[in-house]
Amino acid sequence: MTVRSGNQRGEAQLRVEAEARLAAKRAQRAFAKERPVEELLHELQVHQIELEMQNETLCQSQIALEESRDRYIDFYDFGPVGYLTLSERGLIAEINLGGAEMLGSDRAKLLKRRFSPHVAAGDIVRWQGHFTEALGSDASLNCEIALVRPDGSRIDVRLDSRRMVKEGHAPSVRSVLTDITERKRVQDALSASVEFSNRLIESMQDGLSVVDVDGVHLDVNPALSTMTGFSREELLGSGLPHPYWPPEERDVIEAALQKVLQGQMDTFELTFRRKDGERFPVILSPSAVKDAQGAVVGYMATIKDISVRKQAERALKASEERFRDIVNTTDGIVWEADATTFDCTFVSDQAQRLLGYPAGDWLKPGFWVEHLHPDDRAWVPELSASYTRRMEPYAIEYRFIARDGRTVWFHDIVTVVAEAGAPRWLRGIMVDITRSKQVEEKLREMAADLEAKVEERTKQLRRLSAQLTMTEERERRMLAEDLHDNLAQLLAVIKIKLTTLAAGSLPSAVSEVVALVDQAERSARSITMELSPPILHRLGLMPALEWLGDEMERVYGIAVRVRCDACDMQLGQEIQAVLYRSVRELLINVAKHAKVRDAIVSCLCGTGPLVIVVEDDGCGFDPVDQGRGLSGQRSFGLSSIYERLANLGGAMEVDSSPGNGTTVTLTIPCITDS
């Protein structure tokens, strides 16, 4: 612009000079005929120089204009904003490089194209309204819209538009596009943050109060209204003293407020009141609200209702007092110790009462281990350490040396407490069991003495039972011998005499008497064998059992298989007699009740006790009945066998069930004749 003004001044000066020269020429025109040719030539030369000077000035003006145009083009094309000129139909007439970059297209491709396709769908209506208004108004207008680029990305821009009118041309709209994407992002983030903060404040469990420097409520959250019972409308604008200050606590609260005003942002425990008059404890945490220059413009405080916590603290305190009373009055020492060193960190008062050591001595390093009984000092810590490493609770009994030298027995119940996955503490209770141990020792001595007496009495009973058995057996033998030697012989003599009578003297009567005598002789022989079979005393138990099997088949019609191992044992007479009669009784039970025609008798003779098994595949019976039979309520035969064997130190087992047969096992120690 400065160059153009200089050119105008030069042209005016030349004009003046030319006008002056023209006037001079007109004045001198009358004398022109008189002027010489040299003067005319000179005049022409001067005029030529003037024209050259004017041409030089014009060239300089053109250069300056071109430089100014280049600077304008640079500013227009590479400016930080976009410049856009739209025709009245919304076509892009002009656009700089910045605007083309915002639209994401080449400038050449944008010219004479509609601008609206580049506007986001949600902003089309806003853009059309802005464009229409800009065409019909002389005022500068602005709006914010989102543009969509060909690659799908979006940017937010601000349009500052104004109508442009040129004579002879249709009106157009010239707009400046400013990229406000970052600003919008910040604004959206700020809005989201503000919204989040508002939601956070609204959802806070603790009360929030905002006051100015004079203590007037500027804002409160719903939690404070719920807590105090005063509505938000009642609290907003209220000043000191606040409605929720109890009159009796006003001095305390005002003292805390003065500390806050002095910059002491401590946490205060105060008492507030609800609208219904109820008092409740709170913790108030204040903070100052400052402006951009750092000046305090108000205060904000969170208010936490600690009624529940206070109740819990009171309950906990009462519980601790009860626990302390229980711990200190219980008949045991409650303790806590380090899990690695076994050094006590706590003992109850009972420790001094039971052992005489004050609590301070218990807390000394190594005290517990050093005062263990010498015989327990080696194994008790090692066993405790093994349980502790496995973090298993355990109970252990050991002896402890009291201050007066007494040995006190304790039953210690221990729990392992872990921290970070490793044992950290041991907690337990040591119960004094000294008296129990003394009673237990006396009971042990009494039990040992009683056991010895019982064993001696058992031996006596067994000897007596054996003597009774032998006496019975001797009586049986004597009775059998008497039957054999007297009655049998007498019957034999009678038979002989009857057979020697003269023929024809009552032959039929004699024959009948002889038959009866034969029957009496057989009965006497049978009774003799049942009372005391001679084969048992002459050959032993195994041959007697084989003879018994044959006799059972002859008398009862059941086949008895006797399987006996070779046995070199010299059994006592009473044992042989008891076993023989037991097997006979069992075989008779098979014949009467099992409903089978055969049975098996097995004798197992080794280095241990003698075992005899009687088994059948008969109908069997209920084990409950078998139990009742052994207890004497039923089955006299089984009960008798059981008692006889028990008196000799033996045993009887019965395995039976309905439909599955019966197996009876007789076991007796090998007591030989002494």
Side-chain angles (χ1 to χ4, degrees):
M1 298 297 294
T2 304
V3 173
R4 185 177 297 136
S5 300
N7 290 338
Q8 290 176 351
R9 286 194 299 270
E11 291 176 356
Q13 184 177 359
L14 289 175
R15 178 75 179 181
V16 171
E17 292 178 357
E19 289 289 344
R21 290 182 182 182
L22 179 60
K25 287 181 178 182
R26 288 178 178 174
Q28 294 176 359
R29 189 171 295 173
F31 305 99
K33 294 180 180 181
E34 298 177 359
R35 293 179 62 185
V37 176
E38 292 81 2
E39 290 182 3
L40 293 175
L41 180 60
H42 176 74
E43 184 70 20
L44 289 174
Q45 289 177 346
V46 170
H47 184 66
Q48 181 180 358
I49 292 172
E50 289 177 353
L51 291 176
E52 289 176 355
M53 291 174 59
Q54 185 177 8
N55 183 56
E56 182 178 356
T57 301
L58 291 174
C59 288
Q60 291 177 354
S61 299
Q62 183 178 359
I63 293 172
L65 288 173
E66 289 177 354
E67 292 177 352
S68 177
R69 184 196 63 187
D70 292 340
R71 284 195 299 271
Y72 170 77
I73 291 174
D74 290 341
F75 179 76
Y76 178 78
D77 282 339
F78 302 104
V81 296
Y83 296 103
L84 176 70
T85 302
L86 299 175
S87 69
E88 62 178 346
R89 294 190 301 165
L91 302 178
I92 300 175
E94 295 179 4
I95 189 170
N96 68 341
L97 293 178
E101 183 178 357
M102 289 183 186
L103 296 181
S105 298
D106 186 22
R107 178 164 59 177
K109 295 180 179 179
L110 294 172
L111 296 176
K112 297 183 180 180
R113 299 296 181 101
R114 299 189 66 83
F115 178 74
S116 57
H118 299 278
V119 180
D123 294 338
I124 287 292
V125 175
R126 185 184 305 120
W127 151 249
Q128 291 176 345
H130 172 77
F131 180 71
T132 301
E133 187 178 0
L135 276 177
S137 173
D138 292 332
S140 295
L141 304 176
N142 62 77
C143 76
E144 295 180 0
I145 60 173
L147 300 179
V148 180
R149 295 171 173 174
D151 60 2
S153 61
R154 294 166 58 100
I155 64 169
D156 294 295
V157 298
R158 172 189 169 99
L159 290 174
D160 292 285
S161 304
R162 189 180 182 90
R163 184 179 66 168
M164 304 298 296
V165 179
K166 290 184 179 180
E167 187 177 352
H169 293 81
S172 60
V173 175
R174 185 167 295 172
S175 300
V176 178
L177 285 72
T178 305
D179 187 350
I180 59 171
T181 304
E182 183 63 21
R183 192 195 77 187
K184 288 284 288 185
R185 186 189 65 78
V186 173
Q187 286 179 343
D188 292 343
L190 180 60
S191 299
S193 177
V194 171
E195 183 179 358
F196 175 76
S197 299
N198 291 335
R199 288 200 305 270
L200 183 63
I201 292 173
E202 293 290 325
S203 62
M204 283 177 60
Q205 299 297 317
D206 297 338
L208 179 68
S209 172
V210 181
V211 299
D212 61 15
V213 292
D214 296 322
V216 177
H217 275 112
L218 300 177
D219 197 7
V220 295
N221 71 337
L224 183 60
S225 297
T226 303
M227 186 185 304
T228 62
F230 293 97
S231 66
R232 187 171 185 271
E233 291 72 18
E234 290 176 308
L235 293 177
L236 290 181
S238 62
L240 302 177
H242 293 153
Y244 43 80
W245 288 9
E248 68 276 8
E249 296 288 331
R250 188 167 300 171
D251 293 341
V252 176
I253 298 175
E254 287 182 349
L257 178 61
Q258 290 303 318
K259 290 183 180 181
V260 173
L261 296 177
Q262 294 169 9
Q264 300 181 28
M265 301 301 169
D266 299 327
T267 297
F268 303 97
E269 187 170 321
L270 304 172
T271 300
F272 282 177
R273 75 177 181 94
R274 308 189 200 279
K275 190 175 182 179
D276 59 6
E278 178 188 358
R279 270 60 173 172
F280 64 100
V282 299
I283 288 182
L284 187 140
S285 303
S287 60
V289 179
K290 300 180 180 180
D291 60 13
Q293 288 72 37
V296 176
V297 296
Y299 298 93
M300 180 173 62
T302 58
I303 302 157
K304 184 177 185 64
D305 185 349
I306 58 172
S307 301
V308 176
R309 195 189 78 180
K310 281 293 185 180
Q311 293 174 359
E313 288 177 354
R314 288 193 294 270
L316 178 60
K317 185 177 180 180
S319 176
E320 288 176 350
E321 291 176 354
R322 287 195 300 271
F323 174 74
R324 191 178 298 109
D325 293 340
I326 293 172
V327 166
N328 291 326
T329 57
T330 189
D331 189 18
I333 301 173
V334 179
W335 58 271
E336 181 184 67
D338 187 281
T340 56
T341 63
F342 300 117
D343 292 336
C344 292
T345 57
F346 168 81
V347 291
S348 61
D349 296 343
Q350 193 72 357
Q352 185 170 358
R353 289 196 292 268
L354 288 178
L355 299 172
Y357 301 106
D361 291 351
W362 284 84
L363 304 183
K364 294 178 181 178
F367 176 86
W368 178 74
V369 176
E370 293 172 0
H371 290 79
L372 289 171
H373 190 279
D375 294 341
D376 297 338
R377 197 172 298 161
W379 66 271
V380 171
E382 183 178 351
L383 181 61
S384 298
S386 66
Y387 280 110
T388 302
R389 284 191 297 270
R390 298 194 300 270
M391 293 191 290
E392 296 178 1
Y394 61 94
I396 188 172
E397 293 183 357
Y398 56 84
R399 291 162 290 181
F400 206 83
I401 306 301
R403 192 172 189 177
D404 57 6
R406 292 178 296 111
T407 298
V408 182
W409 274 94
F410 283 109
H411 180 77
D412 204 351
I413 304 170
V414 186
T415 299
V416 182
V417 180
E419 287 184 3
R424 182 65 184 92
W425 304 104
L426 298 177
R427 292 173 184 155
I429 178 169
M430 299 163 57
V431 181
D432 184 0
I433 59 171
T434 305
R435 188 172 300 174
S436 299
K437 281 291 184 180
Q438 293 171 349
V439 173
E440 183 180 327
E441 185 63 27
K442 291 181 180 179
L443 289 175
R444 190 180 297 110
E445 294 174 358
M446 293 174 62
D449 184 57
L450 180 61
E451 185 176 352
K453 291 181 179 179
V454 169
E455 185 176 358
E456 179 63 27
R457 184 63 56 87
T458 301
K459 290 180 180 178
Q460 293 176 359
L461 290 174
R462 286 178 178 175
R463 285 195 296 268
L464 180 59
S465 176
Q467 291 174 3
L468 289 174
T469 302
M470 290 302 299
T471 300
E472 180 185 357
E473 188 61 27
R474 282 194 297 269
E475 292 294 329
R476 286 174 175 272
R477 290 181 63 181
M478 290 174 60
L479 182 58
E481 289 174 358
D482 286 342
L483 288 173
H484 180 270
D485 295 340
N486 297 323
L487 179 60
Q489 294 297 331
L490 180 60
L491 291 173
V493 171
I494 293 173
K495 180 180 178 181
I496 293 172
K497 288 184 176 292
L498 289 173
T499 55
T500 59
L501 292 176
S505 58
L506 302 175
S508 60
V510 171
S511 297
E512 291 178 2
V513 172
V514 171
L516 291 173
V517 171
D518 287 338
Q519 184 178 357
E521 184 180 7
R522 287 193 301 272
S523 297
R525 189 181 301 112
S526 176
I527 292 172
T528 300
M529 294 300 293
E530 289 182 4
L531 286 173
S532 181
I535 192 172
L536 177 64
H537 307 292
R538 296 173 185 173
L539 300 180
L541 178 63
M542 303 307 168
L545 292 177
E546 292 177 356
W547 175 84
L548 177 62
D550 296 337
E551 191 70 11
M552 292 300 297
E553 185 173 6
R554 184 183 65 81
V555 176
Y556 293 99
I558 63 171
V560 179
R561 287 178 291 166
V562 180
R563 297 184 295 198
C564 298
D565 297 338
C567 185
D568 297 331
M569 290 183 180
Q570 298 297 324
L571 299 174
Q573 290 295 324
E574 68 277 9
I575 293 179
Q576 293 189 88
V578 169
L579 291 176
Y580 174 83
R581 301 195 186 287
S582 298
V583 173
R584 182 175 180 275
E585 180 70 25
L586 293 174
L587 290 175
I588 291 174
N589 284 343
V590 172
K592 291 181 178 180
H593 306 296
K595 300 179 181 179
V596 292
R597 307 306 299 172
D598 57 358
I600 300 175
V601 177
S602 303
C603 299
L604 306 176
C605 181
T607 58
L610 176 64
V611 179
I612 297 178
V613 180
V614 179
E615 54 185 323
D616 66 78
D617 293 331
C619 60
F621 56 91
D622 195 331
V624 176
D625 294 336
Q626 170 249 325
R628 288 201 297 266
L630 294 182
S631 64
Q633 298 178 10
R634 196 180 156 192
S635 182
F636 176 77
L638 291 177
S639 177
S640 176
I641 295 171
Y642 175 78
E643 291 175 358
R644 286 171 179 266
L645 290 175
N647 289 334
L648 294 175
M652 180 179 75
E653 294 182 3
V654 180
D655 181 13
S656 182
S657 60
N660 293 317
T662 302
T663 300
V664 180
T665 303
L666 309 178
T667 305
I668 196 166
C670 297
I671 302 175
T672 60
D673 289 328
S674 57

